[in-house]
Amino acid sequence: MLVVAGTLFGQGASSAKPLAGAIDIHMHCGPDVLPRSVDAIDVARLAKAEGMRAIVLKNHYVPTANDAYLVRKVVPGIEVFGGIDLNRTVGGMNAAAVENMAHISGGYGRMVWMTSFDSRAAVEAEKGPNKRPYVAVTQDGELLPEVKQVIAVIAKYNLILETGHNYPDEILSMIREANRVGVKHIVVTHAMIAPIHMNIDQMKQAASMGAYLEFVYNGLIGPYKEFSFEDYAKAIHAVGADHIILSSDLGQVVNPVHTEGLKRFYAGLLQAGVSQTEIDTMARSNPATVLDLK
């Protein structure tokens, strides 16, 4: 194992290009209603300069498939994708909005996040007596009809089901429904961190049904820090690298830019006992499979 400028590199990575071939499926960027460190064009340029293979642009409030189309024209040579997050700004569980996103020029809209900041779990986690409306996905333990309609559209257009900021039992119900209707790719959005907080057994259950568990650097640093590299390493070895995707979930102005964060993420996991082969699987092979990249 070689240490260069404070970063660990093992087989399959180089000190010059530690992100070569890597894929980040969770990049926040501008333009946005929230402050972001870089915009979509700049983050694509950063990723391309590091030799990354693909990125996915995420916005909590507006679809990003159109951004992906335009960014590809400005920054050729890297795969750029987008999606739609089913918060209240797009009508919540709105199958028509998902179908429209699937038809945006280029076909680069791939991800469907099943509500994030407007989920019941997110709203109930907020402090204060006045709770705002949320986007429901279940009632009395059963998925709502509109949620099943969205999942059916995901299956129809071979999109990727991202489970969003929902409770673990709701997520597992979504995965079961997705399996029933033939959804090909499922990702449990940052499974360990707030407000999801899946435990190891729940993550194993999701993996047994074919879902990938996303682990993000944002959960290890800054104001959203909840875990250590050792915590992540323990979970990775319990669930198995074949079922996990590493993402940055960066773009916040208080955190490092995405590419710098990913370098620190991979290096910290190496130091915590995760092998370079496991990192290659989680940062390169698994996200490529989800995005249907050869």
Side-chain angles (χ1 to χ4, degrees), residues 34-65:
L34 300 171
R36 296 301 182 196
S37 57
V38 292
D39 65 29
I41 292 171
D42 287 340
V43 78
R45 285 174 172 155
L46 287 168
K48 180 182 177 181
E50 295 289 347
M52 292 182 66
R53 183 179 184 187
I55 62 174
V56 178
L57 310 175
K58 182 177 181 183
N59 189 304
H60 289 289
Y61 300 116
V62 295
T64 54

Side-chain angles (χ1 to χ4, degrees), residues 105-120:
S105 301
Y108 305 126
R110 298 286 183 86
M111 299 289 191
V112 181
W113 290 276
M114 302 292 280
T115 191
S116 55
F117 280 176
D118 290 341
S119 72
R120 179 167 67 96

Side-chain angles (χ1 to χ4, degrees), residues 267-279:
L269 289 175
L270 283 167
Q271 290 177 316
V274 178
S275 72
Q276 183 64 52
T277 298
E278 289 172 316
I279 290 173

Side-chain angles (χ1 to χ4, degrees), residues 107-166:
Y108 305 126
R110 298 286 183 86
M111 299 289 191
V112 181
W113 290 276
M114 302 292 280
T115 191
S116 55
F117 280 176
D118 290 341
S119 72
R120 179 167 67 96
V123 171
E124 291 182 348
E126 292 174 355
K127 297 178 181 178
N130 298 319
K131 298 299 182 184
R132 58 190 175 87
Y134 60 80
V135 176
V137 296
T138 61
Q139 184 174 1
D140 299 326
E142 299 293 329
L143 290 178
L144 293 169
E146 54 266 37
V147 176
K148 293 182 179 182
Q149 291 168 8
V150 166
I151 294 174
V153 173
I154 292 171
K156 178 180 178 181
Y157 293 102
N158 190 29
L159 304 175
I160 301 158
L161 171 63
E162 279 265 8
T163 57
H165 295 191
N166 291 290

Side-chain angles (χ1 to χ4, degrees), residues 19 22 24-31 36-58 64 67-68 71-72 74-81 248-252 256-262:
L19 302 187
D24 189 346
I25 65 167
H26 198 146
M27 285 183 152
H28 292 285
C29 54
R36 296 301 182 196
S37 57
V38 292
D39 65 29
I41 292 171
D42 287 340
V43 78
R45 285 174 172 155
L46 287 168
K48 180 182 177 181
E50 295 289 347
M52 292 182 66
R53 183 179 184 187
I55 62 174
V56 178
L57 310 175
K58 182 177 181 183
T64 54
D67 291 339
V71 169
R72 281 173 177 255
V74 179
V75 191
I78 183 170
E79 299 266 19
V80 183
F81 299 96
S248 70
D249 188 15
L250 294 179
Q252 306 81 17
V257 294
H258 312 71
T259 47
E260 182 60 32
L262 287 174

Side-chain angles (χ1 to χ4, degrees), residues 212-228:
Y212 288 97
L213 292 305
E214 183 188 45
F215 285 28
V216 298
Y217 185 52
N218 192 21
L220 299 175
I221 57 166
Y224 303 107
K225 175 178 170 56
E226 293 189 77
F227 296 99
S228 67

Side-chain angles (χ1 to χ4, degrees), residues 86-107:
L86 299 180
N87 288 311
R88 295 177 65 220
T89 49
V90 298
M93 290 296 129
N94 186 348
V98 176
E99 187 142 5
N100 181 72
M101 189 274 297
H103 285 102
I104 289 175
S105 301

Side-chain angles (χ1 to χ4, degrees), residues 191-229:
M192 285 183 67
I193 69 172
I196 298 99
H197 288 153
M198 268 193 167
N199 60 37
I200 296 294
D201 287 341
Q202 289 165 335
M203 288 192 285
K204 285 182 176 180
Q205 187 176 349
S208 73
M209 293 189 284
Y212 288 97
L213 292 305
E214 183 188 45
F215 285 28
V216 298
Y217 185 52
N218 192 21
L220 299 175
I221 57 166
Y224 303 107
K225 175 178 170 56
E226 293 189 77
F227 296 99
S228 67
F229 283 106

